[in-house]
Amino acid sequence: MKIITIIGGVAKDSINKKLFELIMPLSPKEFEFDTFGIDSLPFFSQDIERNPPESVVQFKEKIINADGVLFITPEYNRSIPGVLKNAVDWVSRPYLNGALVKKPVAVLGAATGTIGTFGAQNDLRKILSSIGAAVMYQPEIYLHFYACVNDKGELADTTKKMYEKFLNSFREWILKNK
């Protein structure tokens, strides 16, 4: 199963990038991960929508060719980062016929605060649902990153089990929505 992972944090030392690295080994053996750097996308504009830059074309192709899309987002001001919203805007077009329509998607995130990325994940699920993606709503994980990662940079065993359950649920979601 080809899984494209979109990480909404573009900072070099993003904890959401670290989260992705930590959960990859916990995924079902069928998962084959790929990523796309959304910081390479220009700002969405209807002026260039019909003749988009190559980075947009490549991004849409990766989404179209994937069996599922895993979004991992930080939370900025109780919502998703602008760069992630921009990426979603590009692949949502044309409206209700974009690359994410009926595509199985799941949402995760990590933050340094106690409520994890509750606001961002909920907003992203709402946006993805409104553009026709097949959004997996359960299970949900809201991670306070440093409370669940030890001094060696490893996830706690109980946290690993939550992510294994999440990723196996995503596998089942993809199979159900093929």
Side-chain angles (χ1 to χ4, degrees), residues 81-153:
V83 68
L84 180 57
K85 176 66 166 69
N86 183 62
V88 171
D89 287 346
W90 273 116
V91 294
S92 71
R93 306 292 287 207
Y95 183 66
L96 293 180
N97 200 22
L100 286 169
V101 172
K102 297 184 182 177
K103 184 70 65 175
V105 301
V107 178
L108 288 173
T112 57
T114 55
I115 61 169
T117 54
F118 176 81
Q121 287 189 47
N122 283 326
D123 283 356
L124 184 54
R125 285 186 195 100
K126 178 179 70 173
I127 293 165
L128 294 169
S129 179
S130 77
I131 62 173
V135 180
M136 182 178 88
Y137 283 92
Q138 295 291 327
E140 297 172 302
I141 301 175
Y142 303 110
L143 183 70
H144 178 271
F145 190 76
Y146 295 111
C148 298
V149 175
N150 65 24
D151 294 342
K152 297 176 187 174

Side-chain angles (χ1 to χ4, degrees), residues 20-72:
F20 176 55
E21 293 168 5
L22 290 170
I23 67 170
M24 272 194 325
L26 306 174
S27 67
K29 65 180 187 271
E30 301 95 335
F31 279 16
E32 180 183 317
F33 287 103
D34 193 5
T35 60
F36 187 90
I38 59 174
D39 55 342
S40 69
L41 299 170
F43 291 125
F44 174 79
S45 170
Q46 290 175 325
D47 294 338
I48 59 174
E49 179 180 12
R50 291 179 191 235
N51 190 20
E54 186 60 28
S55 61
V56 172
V57 173
Q58 290 173 356
F59 184 45
K60 286 184 174 187
E61 286 175 359
K62 282 194 179 232
I63 299 277
I64 289 166
N65 293 322
D67 295 303
V69 182
L70 175 62
F71 288 89
I72 303 178

